[in-house]
Amino acid sequence: MLFSRAKNSRDRFQSQAEAVYPSLFGTALRLTRDREEAEDLAQEAIVRAYEAFDRFDGENFKAWILRILTNLYINKYRRKKRVGHSVSLDDEESSYEPVGLAEELPDRQLLDEMLGAEIEEALLQVPEIFRVAVLLSDLEGMTYDEIALATEVPVGTVRSRIARGRAILRRELERYAREEGYLKQES
Amino acid sequence: MNREVELVHALADGEVTPVEEAEAKRLVESDPKLRAEFEWAKALKSSMVANCKPIANDEAWKRCVGRLDDLDRVAKAESFVGKWAWVFCGALLLMIFAGGIVSRTVGSRTVSSTQIAGLLDPTGAGLVDAKRAAPEVKTADFVSLSGFTPTSRITGYLDNRPFVRFGLRDQLGLGGLAVVMIQGADRIEGLDQPTSHAVIRAGRLNEVNAVTWPVQGNTCILFGERPTDELVALAQDMMK
């Protein structure tokens, strides 16, 4: 009886986890930028989620497990790694200008010219705290509230990080586009 | 400017309150730069979704399933142990209890050296229980004291075994000797070194030489400030 109930719980967890695993692993890879570490991080998140499955509210499994993964990354992997772009409070709070006039910079065209790998590469150049927010919002479709919970910062900070992260991502994409000849070099 | 830009991005994400929404829409309509920012945010979102796909990794997923299997096995084992813990504890207590009983019945024929340390005191203080009737120990069944002169006699119980202790003078009238007979014991801890006599064992009790020998399932101890050889010889005189 006890084992049967446990088996049902395991089956329910496994079917949901398997469905979201590609997203989970993709996010882990985009966070860690290292395949082996990403596999470890995703696996650790799966294990933690399984252990806490009885406390899952049944609402949004993907958001819940991504929250676990992000928390793990912030509290464990990032602390261990200490590489990549570090961002000071000044950087985070610095002002940024809007991207410019639509006719000056053809956003759609720029993005349409880009391949997936190039966007991925540009994304990896975005400092981590901004990248996490942009990833969870734009790729995983998490709400600002869910991102705030996952990253343990206020919603206002999430809003700021997303805007800032997209600005940096745009700069990286433009730089790349100029290098590849998609856009004319600035004089 | 930061606030306006953030507001526009939040509008693109559908993350504005009704009050903010009105303001954000007004900004987007009135400011070309913010309109461009708004369009950029929307374009980037859809481009990211289109280009940055989830990444399948079947091997890694299989390893995850393996970890879950391990967790289940551990949980099952823990559940089993938890369920039957009281049985295991009961069995363990029973074994300890049974071990104690066996130890007292089977292994009780050995007397520890600490127990007999009190025998060195001629008064037998600490060994005589005034509330308990003195045991009857038939000395004649154990040893012959002919040729020795008893100077004292005490009886009592040593770990529930009846004993009798005689202070003695030898044939030359020299004192400082004592013989003890303990019923129901066949070994004295610490007195187990072989001597010239097959059944007599020797050793020291609190720095005093002593010899011991068995008699019909009981034990005699002779000790005093004498060399071991002399004690062995005196013991032989006492053996019946």
Side-chain angles (χ1 to χ4, degrees), chain B residues 144-181:
Chain B
S144 166
L145 294 181
S146 62
F148 294 91
T149 309
T151 57
S152 65
R153 179 181 186 276
I154 57 170
T155 58
Y157 295 89
L158 199 66
D159 195 26
N160 283 327
R161 297 181 189 86
F163 77 88
V164 59
R165 177 192 189 283
F166 288 99
L168 298 174
R169 289 181 192 281
D170 62 15
Q171 290 157 333
L172 299 174
L174 299 172
L177 280 173
V179 65
V180 180
M181 288 140 283

PDB file of all heavy atoms in Angstrom, chain B residues 144-181:
ATOM      1  N   SER B 144      42.432 -29.267  54.416  1.00  0.00           N
ATOM      2  CA  SER B 144      42.859 -29.736  55.727  1.00  0.00           C
ATOM      3  C   SER B 144      43.693 -28.643  56.369  1.00  0.00           C
ATOM      4  O   SER B 144      44.679 -28.184  55.766  1.00  0.00           O
ATOM      5  CB  SER B 144      43.698 -31.008  55.570  1.00  0.00           C
ATOM      6  OG  SER B 144      44.364 -31.268  56.782  1.00  0.00           O
ATOM      7  N   LEU B 145      43.276 -28.203  57.522  1.00  0.00           N
ATOM      8  CA  LEU B 145      44.026 -27.153  58.205  1.00  0.00           C
ATOM      9  C   LEU B 145      44.869 -27.713  59.336  1.00  0.00           C
ATOM     10  O   LEU B 145      45.325 -26.957  60.199  1.00  0.00           O
ATOM     11  CB  LEU B 145      43.051 -26.090  58.743  1.00  0.00           C
ATOM     12  CG  LEU B 145      42.284 -25.286  57.684  1.00  0.00           C
ATOM     13  CD1 LEU B 145      41.370 -24.250  58.342  1.00  0.00           C
ATOM     14  CD2 LEU B 145      43.206 -24.610  56.705  1.00  0.00           C
ATOM     15  N   SER B 146      45.038 -29.025  59.311  1.00  0.00           N
ATOM     16  CA  SER B 146      45.861 -29.613  60.376  1.00  0.00           C
ATOM     17  C   SER B 146      47.294 -29.118  60.210  1.00  0.00           C
ATOM     18  O   SER B 146      47.828 -29.043  59.099  1.00  0.00           O
ATOM     19  CB  SER B 146      45.811 -31.148  60.305  1.00  0.00           C
ATOM     20  OG  SER B 146      46.333 -31.580  59.087  1.00  0.00           O
ATOM     21  N   GLY B 147      47.867 -28.741  61.326  1.00  0.00           N
ATOM     22  CA  GLY B 147      49.218 -28.186  61.297  1.00  0.00           C
ATOM     23  C   GLY B 147      49.208 -26.668  61.217  1.00  0.00           C
ATOM     24  O   GLY B 147      50.243 -26.034  61.393  1.00  0.00           O
ATOM     25  N   PHE B 148      48.055 -26.076  60.918  1.00  0.00           N
ATOM     26  CA  PHE B 148      47.924 -24.610  60.883  1.00  0.00           C
ATOM     27  C   PHE B 148      47.090 -24.165  62.078  1.00  0.00           C
ATOM     28  O   PHE B 148      46.235 -24.904  62.558  1.00  0.00           O
ATOM     29  CB  PHE B 148      47.244 -24.156  59.600  1.00  0.00           C
ATOM     30  CG  PHE B 148      48.051 -24.421  58.365  1.00  0.00           C
ATOM     31  CD1 PHE B 148      47.908 -25.610  57.671  1.00  0.00           C
ATOM     32  CD2 PHE B 148      48.981 -23.488  57.915  1.00  0.00           C
ATOM     33  CE1 PHE B 148      48.644 -25.863  56.541  1.00  0.00           C
ATOM     34  CE2 PHE B 148      49.726 -23.750  56.774  1.00  0.00           C
ATOM     35  CZ  PHE B 148      49.562 -24.935  56.089  1.00  0.00           C
ATOM     36  N   THR B 149      47.342 -22.965  62.529  1.00  0.00           N
ATOM     37  CA  THR B 149      46.570 -22.442  63.644  1.00  0.00           C
ATOM     38  C   THR B 149      45.696 -21.289  63.165  1.00  0.00           C
ATOM     39  O   THR B 149      46.212 -20.230  62.789  1.00  0.00           O
ATOM     40  CB  THR B 149      47.506 -21.919  64.768  1.00  0.00           C
ATOM     41  OG1 THR B 149      48.438 -22.943  65.073  1.00  0.00           O
ATOM     42  CG2 THR B 149      46.718 -21.521  65.990  1.00  0.00           C
ATOM     43  N   PRO B 150      44.380 -21.488  63.131  1.00  0.00           N
ATOM     44  CA  PRO B 150      43.507 -20.377  62.718  1.00  0.00           C
ATOM     45  C   PRO B 150      43.564 -19.244  63.738  1.00  0.00           C
ATOM     46  O   PRO B 150      43.509 -19.479  64.927  1.00  0.00           O
ATOM     47  CB  PRO B 150      42.119 -21.020  62.676  1.00  0.00           C
ATOM     48  CG  PRO B 150      42.369 -22.491  62.571  1.00  0.00           C
ATOM     49  CD  PRO B 150      43.632 -22.746  63.345  1.00  0.00           C
ATOM     50  N   THR B 151      43.700 -18.041  63.256  1.00  0.00           N
ATOM     51  CA  THR B 151      43.712 -16.865  64.139  1.00  0.00           C
ATOM     52  C   THR B 151      42.451 -16.020  63.976  1.00  0.00           C
ATOM     53  O   THR B 151      42.137 -15.193  64.821  1.00  0.00           O
ATOM     54  CB  THR B 151      44.937 -15.985  63.838  1.00  0.00           C
ATOM     55  OG1 THR B 151      44.892 -15.622  62.439  1.00  0.00           O
ATOM     56  CG2 THR B 151      46.230 -16.707  64.138  1.00  0.00           C
ATOM     57  N   SER B 152      41.752 -16.217  62.863  1.00  0.00           N
ATOM     58  CA  SER B 152      40.485 -15.483  62.653  1.00  0.00           C
ATOM     59  C   SER B 152      39.623 -16.284  61.681  1.00  0.00           C
ATOM     60  O   SER B 152      40.124 -17.126  60.925  1.00  0.00           O
ATOM     61  CB  SER B 152      40.746 -14.085  62.074  1.00  0.00           C
ATOM     62  OG  SER B 152      41.301 -14.192  60.775  1.00  0.00           O
ATOM     63  N   ARG B 153      38.342 -16.009  61.730  1.00  0.00           N
ATOM     64  CA  ARG B 153      37.445 -16.689  60.794  1.00  0.00           C
ATOM     65  C   ARG B 153      36.288 -15.735  60.462  1.00  0.00           C
ATOM     66  O   ARG B 153      35.632 -15.214  61.368  1.00  0.00           O
ATOM     67  CB  ARG B 153      36.890 -17.967  61.427  1.00  0.00           C
ATOM     68  CG  ARG B 153      35.917 -18.729  60.525  1.00  0.00           C
ATOM     69  CD  ARG B 153      35.388 -19.963  61.238  1.00  0.00           C
ATOM     70  NE  ARG B 153      34.570 -20.798  60.349  1.00  0.00           N
ATOM     71  CZ  ARG B 153      33.297 -20.625  60.087  1.00  0.00           C
ATOM     72  NH1 ARG B 153      32.669 -19.583  60.644  1.00  0.00           N
ATOM     73  NH2 ARG B 153      32.642 -21.417  59.260  1.00  0.00           N
ATOM     74  N   ILE B 154      36.100 -15.470  59.208  1.00  0.00           N
ATOM     75  CA  ILE B 154      34.924 -14.686  58.799  1.00  0.00           C
ATOM     76  C   ILE B 154      34.242 -15.428  57.646  1.00  0.00           C
ATOM     77  O   ILE B 154      34.885 -16.117  56.860  1.00  0.00           O
ATOM     78  CB  ILE B 154      35.260 -13.244  58.363  1.00  0.00           C
ATOM     79  CG1 ILE B 154      36.285 -13.246  57.225  1.00  0.00           C
ATOM     80  CG2 ILE B 154      35.735 -12.396  59.506  1.00  0.00           C
ATOM     81  CD1 ILE B 154      36.485 -11.883  56.582  1.00  0.00           C
ATOM     82  N   THR B 155      32.939 -15.264  57.594  1.00  0.00           N
ATOM     83  CA  THR B 155      32.183 -15.835  56.480  1.00  0.00           C
ATOM     84  C   THR B 155      31.327 -14.731  55.861  1.00  0.00           C
ATOM     85  O   THR B 155      31.056 -13.703  56.507  1.00  0.00           O
ATOM     86  CB  THR B 155      31.253 -16.973  56.936  1.00  0.00           C
ATOM     87  OG1 THR B 155      30.365 -16.445  57.930  1.00  0.00           O
ATOM     88  CG2 THR B 155      32.013 -18.147  57.502  1.00  0.00           C
ATOM     89  N   GLY B 156      30.958 -14.932  54.651  1.00  0.00           N
ATOM     90  CA  GLY B 156      30.125 -13.926  53.976  1.00  0.00           C
ATOM     91  C   GLY B 156      29.849 -14.358  52.549  1.00  0.00           C
ATOM     92  O   GLY B 156      29.939 -15.545  52.206  1.00  0.00           O
ATOM     93  N   TYR B 157      29.496 -13.388  51.778  1.00  0.00           N
ATOM     94  CA  TYR B 157      29.178 -13.665  50.369  1.00  0.00           C
ATOM     95  C   TYR B 157      30.043 -12.787  49.473  1.00  0.00           C
ATOM     96  O   TYR B 157      30.181 -11.579  49.720  1.00  0.00           O
ATOM     97  CB  TYR B 157      27.708 -13.391  50.086  1.00  0.00           C
ATOM     98  CG  TYR B 157      26.779 -14.324  50.826  1.00  0.00           C
ATOM     99  CD1 TYR B 157      26.319 -14.002  52.103  1.00  0.00           C
ATOM    100  CD2 TYR B 157      26.384 -15.534  50.247  1.00  0.00           C
ATOM    101  CE1 TYR B 157      25.483 -14.851  52.798  1.00  0.00           C
ATOM    102  CE2 TYR B 157      25.539 -16.387  50.938  1.00  0.00           C
ATOM    103  CZ  TYR B 157      25.094 -16.043  52.207  1.00  0.00           C
ATOM    104  OH  TYR B 157      24.267 -16.893  52.886  1.00  0.00           O
ATOM    105  N   LEU B 158      30.583 -13.417  48.473  1.00  0.00           N
ATOM    106  CA  LEU B 158      31.369 -12.700  47.482  1.00  0.00           C
ATOM    107  C   LEU B 158      30.603 -12.816  46.165  1.00  0.00           C
ATOM    108  O   LEU B 158      30.587 -13.886  45.562  1.00  0.00           O
ATOM    109  CB  LEU B 158      32.750 -13.357  47.358  1.00  0.00           C
ATOM    110  CG  LEU B 158      33.849 -12.530  46.725  1.00  0.00           C
ATOM    111  CD1 LEU B 158      34.205 -11.330  47.593  1.00  0.00           C
ATOM    112  CD2 LEU B 158      35.085 -13.396  46.485  1.00  0.00           C
ATOM    113  N   ASP B 159      29.964 -11.721  45.769  1.00  0.00           N
ATOM    114  CA  ASP B 159      29.114 -11.766  44.569  1.00  0.00           C
ATOM    115  C   ASP B 159      28.123 -12.930  44.671  1.00  0.00           C
ATOM    116  O   ASP B 159      28.003 -13.731  43.734  1.00  0.00           O
ATOM    117  CB  ASP B 159      29.996 -11.882  43.316  1.00  0.00           C
ATOM    118  CG  ASP B 159      29.202 -11.572  42.052  1.00  0.00           C
ATOM    119  OD1 ASP B 159      28.198 -10.835  42.154  1.00  0.00           O
ATOM    120  OD2 ASP B 159      29.565 -12.083  40.984  1.00  0.00           O
ATOM    121  N   ASN B 160      27.484 -12.983  45.805  1.00  0.00           N
ATOM    122  CA  ASN B 160      26.461 -14.011  46.081  1.00  0.00           C
ATOM    123  C   ASN B 160      27.013 -15.423  46.250  1.00  0.00           C
ATOM    124  O   ASN B 160      26.253 -16.381  46.312  1.00  0.00           O
ATOM    125  CB  ASN B 160      25.385 -14.021  44.984  1.00  0.00           C
ATOM    126  CG  ASN B 160      24.418 -12.873  45.162  1.00  0.00           C
ATOM    127  OD1 ASN B 160      24.143 -12.470  46.306  1.00  0.00           O
ATOM    128  ND2 ASN B 160      23.941 -12.319  44.069  1.00  0.00           N
ATOM    129  N   ARG B 161      28.336 -15.556  46.279  1.00  0.00           N
ATOM    130  CA  ARG B 161      28.906 -16.893  46.508  1.00  0.00           C
ATOM    131  C   ARG B 161      29.373 -16.968  47.966  1.00  0.00           C
ATOM    132  O   ARG B 161      30.112 -16.086  48.421  1.00  0.00           O
ATOM    133  CB  ARG B 161      30.108 -17.142  45.595  1.00  0.00           C
ATOM    134  CG  ARG B 161      29.770 -17.133  44.113  1.00  0.00           C
ATOM    135  CD  ARG B 161      31.041 -17.412  43.335  1.00  0.00           C
ATOM    136  NE  ARG B 161      30.817 -17.205  41.926  1.00  0.00           N
ATOM    137  CZ  ARG B 161      30.929 -16.027  41.314  1.00  0.00           C
ATOM    138  NH1 ARG B 161      31.265 -14.949  42.002  1.00  0.00           N
ATOM    139  NH2 ARG B 161      30.704 -15.927  40.039  1.00  0.00           N
ATOM    140  N   PRO B 162      28.961 -17.983  48.676  1.00  0.00           N
ATOM    141  CA  PRO B 162      29.400 -18.111  50.076  1.00  0.00           C
ATOM    142  C   PRO B 162      30.912 -18.315  50.138  1.00  0.00           C
ATOM    143  O   PRO B 162      31.474 -18.999  49.283  1.00  0.00           O
ATOM    144  CB  PRO B 162      28.671 -19.363  50.569  1.00  0.00           C
ATOM    145  CG  PRO B 162      27.581 -19.597  49.582  1.00  0.00           C
ATOM    146  CD  PRO B 162      28.069 -19.082  48.284  1.00  0.00           C
ATOM    147  N   PHE B 163      31.503 -17.694  51.137  1.00  0.00           N
ATOM    148  CA  PHE B 163      32.939 -17.928  51.318  1.00  0.00           C
ATOM    149  C   PHE B 163      33.237 -17.972  52.818  1.00  0.00           C
ATOM    150  O   PHE B 163      32.454 -17.490  53.640  1.00  0.00           O
ATOM    151  CB  PHE B 163      33.778 -16.844  50.634  1.00  0.00           C
ATOM    152  CG  PHE B 163      33.822 -15.542  51.405  1.00  0.00           C
ATOM    153  CD1 PHE B 163      34.784 -15.316  52.401  1.00  0.00           C
ATOM    154  CD2 PHE B 163      32.887 -14.537  51.170  1.00  0.00           C
ATOM    155  CE1 PHE B 163      34.815 -14.126  53.114  1.00  0.00           C
ATOM    156  CE2 PHE B 163      32.912 -13.350  51.874  1.00  0.00           C
ATOM    157  CZ  PHE B 163      33.868 -13.136  52.847  1.00  0.00           C
ATOM    158  N   VAL B 164      34.398 -18.590  53.105  1.00  0.00           N
ATOM    159  CA  VAL B 164      34.920 -18.529  54.469  1.00  0.00           C
ATOM    160  C   VAL B 164      36.392 -18.184  54.377  1.00  0.00           C
ATOM    161  O   VAL B 164      37.090 -18.644  53.475  1.00  0.00           O
ATOM    162  CB  VAL B 164      34.694 -19.868  55.230  1.00  0.00           C
ATOM    163  CG1 VAL B 164      35.361 -21.022  54.517  1.00  0.00           C
ATOM    164  CG2 VAL B 164      35.224 -19.768  56.671  1.00  0.00           C
ATOM    165  N   ARG B 165      36.830 -17.302  55.289  1.00  0.00           N
ATOM    166  CA  ARG B 165      38.233 -16.869  55.266  1.00  0.00           C
ATOM    167  C   ARG B 165      38.838 -17.138  56.646  1.00  0.00           C
ATOM    168  O   ARG B 165      38.269 -16.730  57.670  1.00  0.00           O
ATOM    169  CB  ARG B 165      38.297 -15.375  54.966  1.00  0.00           C
ATOM    170  CG  ARG B 165      39.695 -14.777  54.981  1.00  0.00           C
ATOM    171  CD  ARG B 165      39.611 -13.251  54.968  1.00  0.00           C
ATOM    172  NE  ARG B 165      40.882 -12.600  54.778  1.00  0.00           N
ATOM    173  CZ  ARG B 165      41.820 -12.447  55.704  1.00  0.00           C
ATOM    174  NH1 ARG B 165      41.633 -12.914  56.952  1.00  0.00           N
ATOM    175  NH2 ARG B 165      42.942 -11.816  55.431  1.00  0.00           N
ATOM    176  N   PHE B 166      39.968 -17.806  56.616  1.00  0.00           N
ATOM    177  CA  PHE B 166      40.711 -18.060  57.857  1.00  0.00           C
ATOM    178  C   PHE B 166      42.026 -17.310  57.818  1.00  0.00           C
ATOM    179  O   PHE B 166      42.773 -17.398  56.845  1.00  0.00           O
ATOM    180  CB  PHE B 166      41.041 -19.561  57.998  1.00  0.00           C
ATOM    181  CG  PHE B 166      39.852 -20.415  58.331  1.00  0.00           C
ATOM    182  CD1 PHE B 166      39.180 -21.126  57.353  1.00  0.00           C
ATOM    183  CD2 PHE B 166      39.409 -20.531  59.647  1.00  0.00           C
ATOM    184  CE1 PHE B 166      38.095 -21.904  57.643  1.00  0.00           C
ATOM    185  CE2 PHE B 166      38.315 -21.330  59.956  1.00  0.00           C
ATOM    186  CZ  PHE B 166      37.655 -22.024  58.970  1.00  0.00           C
ATOM    187  N   GLY B 167      42.326 -16.582  58.923  1.00  0.00           N
ATOM    188  CA  GLY B 167      43.674 -16.092  59.116  1.00  0.00           C
ATOM    189  C   GLY B 167      44.455 -17.225  59.787  1.00  0.00           C
ATOM    190  O   GLY B 167      43.927 -17.912  60.658  1.00  0.00           O
ATOM    191  N   LEU B 168      45.690 -17.452  59.370  1.00  0.00           N
ATOM    192  CA  LEU B 168      46.418 -18.646  59.841  1.00  0.00           C
ATOM    193  C   LEU B 168      47.827 -18.330  60.307  1.00  0.00           C
ATOM    194  O   LEU B 168      48.448 -17.367  59.853  1.00  0.00           O
ATOM    195  CB  LEU B 168      46.519 -19.671  58.677  1.00  0.00           C
ATOM    196  CG  LEU B 168      45.230 -20.261  58.086  1.00  0.00           C
ATOM    197  CD1 LEU B 168      45.585 -21.102  56.871  1.00  0.00           C
ATOM    198  CD2 LEU B 168      44.499 -21.104  59.131  1.00  0.00           C
ATOM    199  N   ARG B 169      48.286 -19.201  61.221  1.00  0.00           N
ATOM    200  CA  ARG B 169      49.724 -19.279  61.500  1.00  0.00           C
ATOM    201  C   ARG B 169      50.189 -20.642  61.020  1.00  0.00           C
ATOM    202  O   ARG B 169      49.427 -21.604  61.099  1.00  0.00           O
ATOM    203  CB  ARG B 169      49.997 -19.184  63.017  1.00  0.00           C
ATOM    204  CG  ARG B 169      49.762 -17.819  63.597  1.00  0.00           C
ATOM    205  CD  ARG B 169      50.098 -17.841  65.085  1.00  0.00           C
ATOM    206  NE  ARG B 169      49.617 -16.644  65.749  1.00  0.00           N
ATOM    207  CZ  ARG B 169      50.248 -15.474  65.682  1.00  0.00           C
ATOM    208  NH1 ARG B 169      51.373 -15.352  65.004  1.00  0.00           N
ATOM    209  NH2 ARG B 169      49.751 -14.442  66.325  1.00  0.00           N
ATOM    210  N   ASP B 170      51.397 -20.662  60.511  1.00  0.00           N
ATOM    211  CA  ASP B 170      51.884 -21.960  60.009  1.00  0.00           C
ATOM    212  C   ASP B 170      52.463 -22.790  61.152  1.00  0.00           C
ATOM    213  O   ASP B 170      52.392 -22.391  62.328  1.00  0.00           O
ATOM    214  CB  ASP B 170      52.886 -21.758  58.876  1.00  0.00           C
ATOM    215  CG  ASP B 170      54.128 -21.003  59.340  1.00  0.00           C
ATOM    216  OD1 ASP B 170      54.327 -20.898  60.581  1.00  0.00           O
ATOM    217  OD2 ASP B 170      54.883 -20.523  58.481  1.00  0.00           O
ATOM    218  N   GLN B 171      53.077 -23.917  60.761  1.00  0.00           N
ATOM    219  CA  GLN B 171      53.588 -24.834  61.785  1.00  0.00           C
ATOM    220  C   GLN B 171      54.687 -24.208  62.626  1.00  0.00           C
ATOM    221  O   GLN B 171      54.920 -24.587  63.770  1.00  0.00           O
ATOM    222  CB  GLN B 171      54.122 -26.103  61.095  1.00  0.00           C
ATOM    223  CG  GLN B 171      52.981 -26.932  60.519  1.00  0.00           C
ATOM    224  CD  GLN B 171      53.445 -27.838  59.397  1.00  0.00           C
ATOM    225  OE1 GLN B 171      54.422 -27.549  58.707  1.00  0.00           O
ATOM    226  NE2 GLN B 171      52.737 -28.947  59.234  1.00  0.00           N
ATOM    227  N   LEU B 172      55.365 -23.205  62.045  1.00  0.00           N
ATOM    228  CA  LEU B 172      56.419 -22.512  62.782  1.00  0.00           C
ATOM    229  C   LEU B 172      55.867 -21.346  63.598  1.00  0.00           C
ATOM    230  O   LEU B 172      56.609 -20.619  64.239  1.00  0.00           O
ATOM    231  CB  LEU B 172      57.477 -21.989  61.809  1.00  0.00           C
ATOM    232  CG  LEU B 172      58.189 -23.063  60.978  1.00  0.00           C
ATOM    233  CD1 LEU B 172      59.111 -22.418  59.947  1.00  0.00           C
ATOM    234  CD2 LEU B 172      58.973 -24.016  61.874  1.00  0.00           C
ATOM    235  N   GLY B 173      54.590 -21.193  63.535  1.00  0.00           N
ATOM    236  CA  GLY B 173      53.959 -20.118  64.307  1.00  0.00           C
ATOM    237  C   GLY B 173      54.001 -18.768  63.609  1.00  0.00           C
ATOM    238  O   GLY B 173      53.665 -17.735  64.190  1.00  0.00           O
ATOM    239  N   LEU B 174      54.403 -18.767  62.328  1.00  0.00           N
ATOM    240  CA  LEU B 174      54.466 -17.484  61.604  1.00  0.00           C
ATOM    241  C   LEU B 174      53.097 -17.146  61.004  1.00  0.00           C
ATOM    242  O   LEU B 174      52.459 -17.988  60.372  1.00  0.00           O
ATOM    243  CB  LEU B 174      55.512 -17.559  60.493  1.00  0.00           C
ATOM    244  CG  LEU B 174      56.952 -17.827  60.969  1.00  0.00           C
ATOM    245  CD1 LEU B 174      57.869 -18.076  59.777  1.00  0.00           C
ATOM    246  CD2 LEU B 174      57.452 -16.651  61.800  1.00  0.00           C
ATOM    247  N   GLY B 175      52.663 -15.930  61.229  1.00  0.00           N
ATOM    248  CA  GLY B 175      51.339 -15.523  60.731  1.00  0.00           C
ATOM    249  C   GLY B 175      51.444 -14.904  59.338  1.00  0.00           C
ATOM    250  O   GLY B 175      52.357 -15.188  58.568  1.00  0.00           O
ATOM    251  N   GLY B 176      50.447 -14.063  59.076  1.00  0.00           N
ATOM    252  CA  GLY B 176      50.441 -13.365  57.776  1.00  0.00           C
ATOM    253  C   GLY B 176      49.928 -14.222  56.646  1.00  0.00           C
ATOM    254  O   GLY B 176      50.103 -13.896  55.474  1.00  0.00           O
ATOM    255  N   LEU B 177      49.284 -15.346  57.004  1.00  0.00           N
ATOM    256  CA  LEU B 177      48.715 -16.220  55.971  1.00  0.00           C
ATOM    257  C   LEU B 177      47.185 -16.164  56.053  1.00  0.00           C
ATOM    258  O   LEU B 177      46.632 -15.943  57.133  1.00  0.00           O
ATOM    259  CB  LEU B 177      49.152 -17.668  56.179  1.00  0.00           C
ATOM    260  CG  LEU B 177      50.529 -18.085  55.705  1.00  0.00           C
ATOM    261  CD1 LEU B 177      50.817 -19.514  56.175  1.00  0.00           C
ATOM    262  CD2 LEU B 177      50.639 -18.008  54.178  1.00  0.00           C
ATOM    263  N   ALA B 178      46.553 -16.411  54.944  1.00  0.00           N
ATOM    264  CA  ALA B 178      45.084 -16.520  54.958  1.00  0.00           C
ATOM    265  C   ALA B 178      44.675 -17.484  53.859  1.00  0.00           C
ATOM    266  O   ALA B 178      45.283 -17.522  52.791  1.00  0.00           O
ATOM    267  CB  ALA B 178      44.432 -15.164  54.746  1.00  0.00           C
ATOM    268  N   VAL B 179      43.647 -18.276  54.159  1.00  0.00           N
ATOM    269  CA  VAL B 179      43.090 -19.161  53.149  1.00  0.00           C
ATOM    270  C   VAL B 179      41.599 -18.838  53.019  1.00  0.00           C
ATOM    271  O   VAL B 179      40.927 -18.584  54.016  1.00  0.00           O
ATOM    272  CB  VAL B 179      43.330 -20.645  53.494  1.00  0.00           C
ATOM    273  CG1 VAL B 179      42.596 -21.063  54.750  1.00  0.00           C
ATOM    274  CG2 VAL B 179      42.936 -21.554  52.330  1.00  0.00           C
ATOM    275  N   VAL B 180      41.153 -18.809  51.781  1.00  0.00           N
ATOM    276  CA  VAL B 180      39.749 -18.492  51.512  1.00  0.00           C
ATOM    277  C   VAL B 180      39.165 -19.610  50.662  1.00  0.00           C
ATOM    278  O   VAL B 180      39.823 -20.091  49.730  1.00  0.00           O
ATOM    279  CB  VAL B 180      39.628 -17.159  50.740  1.00  0.00           C
ATOM    280  CG1 VAL B 180      38.154 -16.831  50.475  1.00  0.00           C
ATOM    281  CG2 VAL B 180      40.282 -16.027  51.484  1.00  0.00           C
ATOM    282  N   MET B 181      37.966 -20.045  51.016  1.00  0.00           N
ATOM    283  CA  MET B 181      37.263 -21.016  50.192  1.00  0.00           C
ATOM    284  C   MET B 181      35.999 -20.360  49.660  1.00  0.00           C
ATOM    285  O   MET B 181      35.202 -19.820  50.426  1.00  0.00           O
ATOM    286  CB  MET B 181      36.916 -22.257  51.008  1.00  0.00           C
ATOM    287  CG  MET B 181      38.134 -23.113  51.325  1.00  0.00           C
ATOM    288  SD  MET B 181      38.094 -23.769  52.985  1.00  0.00           S
ATOM    289  CE  MET B 181      38.562 -22.369  53.953  1.00  0.00           C
TER     290      MET B 181
END
